[in-house]
Amino acid sequence: MATMRPHSFLILIALLLPFMAVAARSKALVGGWSPLKNLNDPHVQGIAEFAVSEYNKQSKAELKLDKVVKGETQVVSGTNYRLVLAVKNGAKSERYQAVVWEKPWENFKKLTSFDPVH
């Protein structure tokens, strides 16, 4: 059975310490949902526009985004955005919950769900 030398252990700790500090400061756990602080952030608005646009393409609908009502993120292999959206469907106002998976380093976005909120 191999034993770890003291200096190897110290190097390992030194390498892991920054990651442990970030994890300790962050309230978001990998896999858990965390509320978005700024629903008007341009990136969040872009995700919302993408969700409505993709839904319109897939369903032949003509919804128009009114505003983001609520939002959460989940860290996965990328980020899931779970947004409650107020939309206009002609003259009617409706709400939908959209989930968009994004991996910005791959320039990848996918609408994974878009369901009415009752």
Side-chain angles (χ1 to χ4, degrees):
M1 181 179 215
T3 60
M4 187 177 280
R5 294 196 170 123
H7 69 280
S8 298
F9 182 72
L10 291 175
I11 291 171
L12 179 64
I13 293 296
L15 291 172
L16 291 177
L17 197 56
F19 297 106
M20 292 166 52
V22 168
R25 274 186 271 144
S26 173
K27 292 183 182 179
L29 298 174
V30 174
W33 290 96
S34 298
L36 286 168
K37 292 181 172 94
N38 182 3
L39 300 178
N40 295 314
D41 178 276
H43 188 75
V44 173
Q45 293 296 312
I47 295 290
E49 290 285 354
F50 171 81
V52 172
S53 174
E54 283 298 301
Y55 178 76
N56 284 341
K57 283 182 206 172
Q58 294 172 14
S59 67
K60 309 290 190 244
E62 294 184 18
L63 303 179
K64 304 257 188 271
L65 178 65
D66 188 21
K67 68 178 183 172
V68 179
V69 176
K70 180 180 174 186
E72 300 173 297
T73 59
Q74 178 187 46
V75 177
V76 289
S77 176
T79 303
N80 278 326
Y81 289 84
R82 183 166 59 191
L83 306 175
V84 175
L85 307 174
V87 301
K88 296 285 186 190
N89 187 1
K92 287 185 357 181
S93 292
E94 300 175 345
R95 287 192 178 192
Y96 288 84
Q97 179 175 278
V99 177
V100 175
W101 178 29
E102 180 186 42
K103 294 193 269 185
W105 62 93
E106 292 181 6
N107 199 24
F108 170 87
K109 278 186 244 170
K110 180 180 181 182
L111 179 64
T112 57
S113 68
F114 197 93
D115 300 310
V117 174
H118 301 288

